[in-house]
Amino acid sequence: MSRLITVSNRVGVPTAGATRAGGLESALREALEAGGGIWFGWSGEVTPERSESPIMLKKGKVTFATVNLNPTDYQEYYLGYANRTLWPLLHSHLGLVEFHRSQLRGYIAVNEYLAKMLAPLIEPDDLIWVHDYHLIPLADELRKLGITNRIGFFLHTPLPPTDILVALPHHELIMRAFCAYDLIGLQTENGVRAFLDYIAREANGRLEFDGSLSAYGRLTRVIAFPIGIDTQGFVDMATRAMRTAETRKLRNSLDSRRLIVGVDRLDYSKGVRNRFEAIDELLSEWPEEAGHFTYLQISPPSRSDVESYQALRREVEGVLGHVNGKYSDVDWAPIRFVVRPVSRTALAGIFRSSRVGLVTPLRDGMNLVAKEYVASQDPEDPGVLVLSRFAGAAAELKTAVLVNPLDPSEIGAAIHQALKMGLNERRERWGLMMEVLRGNTIDDWSANFLKALKATRPLD
Ligand code: GDG
């Protein structure tokens, strides 16, 4: 049985006292534990000098191998090219894309460094699975070092259409790097179409009869593997959470008002500002709703070293103040904004206590919160998911109330529809979404990807 090596920008090294890992982290760990293997990547530490060799930590059948970055790497690779150039581009926010050649060079240099650190750990039969936009050039760098193993890649973000991709200076360098993988996994069929369109129009590549594609003198495959969640795990966690003091405290504070909930890293791709504006629209169109709901938005800060994220926080807090100021009374405010992260169990309890789950990103590769919200519901009295049509999850969760996240009045009307929705309709919509979640769990996702990777041709 081949060993698995997973590679991601950050490694989920288990630490004493850490709260339960996120869905992706546990799925990758489970896939690794099945056959034994290595999880390799950045430690999260920035030190004056790069590492000379990885720090290895063995837990059961899994070895965690991590390396440090130096301050220039952190600036150019992580804060720079990954999060100021690629992240906004992949989410179609062209106005936020910054480009500096030095950062592109830093991005490639860190991938080269990571490849050098990883290569000595690789054995001939190992399968290598690389994750996300930070590491697109990794396979190319490993190939330069003579690594011929099968290497797969999964992109967690969306892949935008060709007309947006070509706005990236040196886009052919990135797309060529993709083609050094034997298998490229994307979240949706839309992403696959975008990839194939680019390959046909910009790279003069072609689709082979067996579904593989050749471009830049390389042969690869692009397939959609929509990521899932630990569905049963969430069902159990949400049921348990209803008995915790934390959930009871929240429910008591609601004073029988219906709860609307949103949970997102504070990121401009998540569309939180438009959600706050939607509450304004809701209350101006249906003033009788005032005092009858509480909207709880949980937004732990992320990437706060990047200016656009600092600006976002100021902007969102400005709109929040405006809406709360306009509608609050002495005993009620429409929006509660929490920037402290909360535990996963508490999240499941909050989801299950709510009437409406508001998930309206402007763009999202998948959006796991949408799936976690659905899995957490009480089958007898489920809440309603209001979901952006531009989240990857919308391709699967078709019976959510789908909205255009750019239009606050459409979101406001959808919230109103959700608050008014009868029990039968809520059950019917929820039941269909739950079937989807049971049919495609996080374990199915990793098993399907690895099966397809194993089926690619061994290199000679
Ligand atoms: C990327 C892609 C794709 C959030 N706040 C708290 C918390 N969370 C958890 C959620 C969920 C995860 O973080 C966020 O996942 P999402 O999928 O919603 O979004 P991204 O972080 O942008 O993830 C996305 C994903 O990768 C996987 O492929 O779906 O499209 O952008 O699990 O529950 N967890 C806790 N406290 C919080 O305050 N414990």
Side-chain angles (χ1 to χ4, degrees):
M1 195 173 176
S2 26
R3 275 193 331 173
L4 174 63
I5 299 183
T6 61
V7 189
S8 57
N9 174 55
R10 293 290 292 271
V11 175
V13 180
T15 47
T19 50
R20 227 184 88 102
L24 177 63
E25 207 171 305
S26 12
L28 293 186
R29 199 172 299 162
E30 214 163 280
L32 282 165
E33 269 159 10
I38 300 176
W39 191 342
F40 173 84
W42 176 32
S43 59
E45 299 281 318
V46 178
T47 46
E49 301 296 331
R50 289 177 177 171
S51 306
E52 308 232 311
S53 58
I55 297 162
M56 313 288 278
L57 177 79
K58 195 160 189 294
K59 293 256 168 178
K61 285 162 88 179
V62 185
T63 302
F64 297 87
T66 54
V67 295
N68 300 344
L69 297 183
N70 69 30
T72 312
D73 294 336
Y74 180 64
Q75 285 298 330
E76 293 182 344
Y77 153 83
Y78 180 72
L79 295 181
Y81 196 74
N83 285 321
R84 290 193 179 98
T85 307
L86 284 180
W87 176 269
L89 178 102
L90 293 167
H91 287 83
S92 301
H93 293 290
L94 282 187
L96 291 177
V97 173
E98 292 174 34
F99 178 76
H100 301 282
R101 273 188 183 207
S102 59
Q103 296 182 347
L104 172 58
R105 277 196 294 270
Y107 175 74
I108 307 274
V110 168
N111 274 273
E112 189 186 351
Y113 158 62
L114 294 174
K116 278 203 182 111
M117 293 286 109
L118 174 60
L121 309 180
I122 300 172
E123 291 172 9
D125 282 340
D126 289 348
L127 283 177
I128 305 169
W129 188 5
V130 179
H131 290 265
D132 233 0
Y133 61 101
H134 314 82
L135 301 173
I136 299 167
L138 193 72
D140 200 21
E141 297 298 335
L142 286 168
R143 301 281 183 231
K144 286 183 197 159
L145 298 173
I147 301 295
T148 55
N149 297 54
R150 278 167 291 189
I151 315 180
F153 180 86
F154 187 79
L155 183 67
H156 290 261
T157 68
L159 188 81
T162 306
D163 288 348
I164 289 185
L165 279 175
V166 296
L168 176 70
H170 311 286
H171 51 87
E172 58 292 333
L173 189 150
I174 296 296
M175 298 306 283
R176 179 189 289 268
F178 263 118
C179 294
Y181 289 94
D182 298 293
L183 174 65
I184 302 157
L186 300 173
Q187 299 272 25
T188 62
E189 291 297 340
N190 254 347
V192 171
R193 271 193 294 275
F195 197 99
L196 296 179
D197 182 60
Y198 179 98
I199 292 298
R201 282 169 54 194
E202 296 287 326
N204 204 16
R206 61 165 201 279
L207 257 182
E208 306 290 348
F209 285 120
D210 65 354
S212 58
L213 67 91
S214 55
Y216 308 110
R218 286 161 171 167
L219 200 64
T220 186
R221 256 163 217 278
V222 186
I223 301 177
F225 297 94
I227 194 168
I229 59 163
D230 173 9
T231 307
Q232 189 56 41
F234 252 90
V235 171
D236 297 341
M237 192 158 57
T239 316
R240 272 199 318 272
M242 297 312 276
R243 296 190 292 269
T244 62
E246 221 170 347
T247 306
R248 240 177 276 133
K249 192 168 98 181
L250 166 73
R251 293 175 75 92
N252 287 340
S253 78
L254 292 175
D255 206 8
S256 47
R257 294 182 176 109
R258 285 156 305 165
L259 177 65
I260 302 170
V261 64
V263 176
D264 317 74
R265 283 183 306 100
L266 196 50
D267 191 295
Y268 47 80
S269 66
K270 303 294 184 183
V272 169
R273 181 201 167 119
N274 290 6
R275 262 180 249 175
F276 288 175
E277 286 173 349
I279 296 297
D280 191 355
E281 296 285 340
L282 169 76
L283 287 169
S284 75
E285 188 75 17
W286 293 281
E288 66 280 8
E289 292 293 347
H292 295 296
F293 69 85
T294 293
Y295 168 28
L296 172 62
Q297 174 64 43
I298 299 175
S299 287
S302 100
R303 302 174 195 166
S304 21
D305 287 346
V306 178
E307 300 74 36
S308 51
Y309 286 75
Q310 295 159 9
L312 172 77
R313 178 151 180 190
R314 287 193 295 274
E315 179 190 322
V316 161
E317 287 177 346
V319 180
L320 165 80
H322 170 75
V323 178
N324 270 349
K326 188 166 165 189
Y327 296 101
S328 291
D329 210 330
V330 286
D331 58 349
W332 177 72
I335 309 174
R336 291 183 196 172
F337 187 51
V338 175
V339 293
R340 263 186 310 114
V342 299
S343 74
R344 280 182 89 64
T345 315
L347 273 190
I350 294 169
F351 289 155
R352 197 174 175 104
S353 303
S354 74
R355 171 56 70 88
V356 184
L358 210 44
V359 185
T360 59
L362 307 181
R363 287 281 153 187
D364 222 325
M366 176 54 61
N367 196 298
L368 296 180
V369 171
K371 294 187 168 183
E372 294 164 358
Y373 181 81
V374 172
S376 300
Q377 296 309 302
D378 175 359
E380 297 307 317
D381 187 19
V384 180
L385 177 65
V386 173
L387 178 63
S388 162
R389 60 180 66 250
F390 305 131
E396 291 174 276
L397 305 179
K398 297 198 171 88
T399 51
V401 176
L402 294 178
V403 292
N404 181 339
L406 292 166
D407 181 359
S409 41
E410 189 176 328
I411 304 172
I415 298 172
H416 186 250
Q417 180 190 350
L419 289 170
K420 291 274 165 287
M421 195 179 284
L423 182 60
N424 286 344
E425 184 177 351
R426 282 191 278 129
R427 274 194 192 150
E428 195 176 323
R429 285 176 181 261
W430 174 80
L432 292 166
M433 291 193 280
M434 204 55 193
E435 266 174 39
V436 174
L437 296 189
R438 290 209 183 274
N440 178 31
T441 65
I442 184 93
D443 293 341
D444 297 324
W445 171 76
S446 60
N448 291 338
F449 185 93
L450 291 173
K451 191 169 156 214
L453 180 59
K454 278 184 200 148
T456 59
R457 296 189 305 171
L459 301 178
D460 42 33

